[in-house]
Amino acid sequence: MLVESREFLSSRMPNKNPTKVVYHPKKELAHTPGEQDFFVYVEPGMVEKWRKDRSIALVDVVQAFTIFEVPTGKQHGIEEKASKSTLWNAFDSEDETKIIEIILEHGKIVEGSKPNASSKGYVVKN
């Protein structure tokens, strides 16, 4: 019996209700404040659990270790993987694990019916 990785299986199974955590860097952290939102896709319900219990592995919380941005600066539009230089300018770091932890800890949980939907299609939780 072949056992495939969770990441491979997740990539094969469409997520009908994607959940993401969106973070807008604070002025004191960003070299270019107020210009960019960053987000990661997460497993539904896992961010709240991780915030209460940091012993939960990040691999169980995020769908992929990829930080996204939208070139227009907000969370709506065509999403792209954030470049290392963009991450450095916003977070003073290129360490994606550290940045993902910041996004999970301080970002807003956004549940939606489809990727890149208008804000009407999403429910925001704090």
Side-chain angles (χ1 to χ4, degrees):
M1 179 171 156
L2 177 65
V3 178
E4 297 172 323
S5 72
R6 192 181 88 161
E7 184 175 327
F8 177 78
L9 291 174
S10 293
S11 69
R12 295 285 199 182
M13 298 176 357
N15 188 347
K16 293 181 182 179
N17 295 308
T19 300
K20 61 185 175 180
V21 178
V22 180
Y23 178 71
H24 190 79
K26 295 179 182 178
K27 292 180 182 181
E28 62 271 11
L29 293 179
H31 292 289
T32 54
E35 296 181 7
Q36 199 70 33
D37 283 344
F38 297 91
F39 55 95
V40 293
Y41 284 100
V42 297
E43 298 295 338
M46 289 304 295
V47 175
E48 294 95 339
K49 291 178 183 178
W50 179 84
R51 287 177 176 170
K52 292 176 185 174
D53 179 5
R54 298 294 170 95
S55 68
I56 296 172
L58 286 179
V59 71
D60 294 327
V61 180
V62 297
Q63 290 185 359
F65 279 85
T66 305
I67 301 164
F68 293 96
E69 65 172 336
V70 175
T72 60
K74 295 296 174 192
Q75 54 179 306
H76 305 294
I78 298 173
E79 60 196 39
E80 298 177 351
K81 182 179 189 268
S83 69
K84 294 224 180 251
S85 63
T86 301
L87 294 175
W88 179 261
N89 287 335
F91 296 94
D92 276 339
S93 177
E94 294 176 0
D95 182 343
E96 292 186 12
T97 300
K98 177 182 171 184
I99 295 168
I100 287 171
E101 288 177 342
I102 292 169
I103 292 170
L104 293 177
E105 183 176 349
H106 300 289
K108 291 186 178 184
I109 300 168
V110 180
E111 297 174 345
S113 56
K114 59 183 176 179
N116 300 322
S118 71
S119 59
K120 295 176 188 172
Y122 288 100
V123 176
V124 177
K125 295 181 178 179
N126 285 327

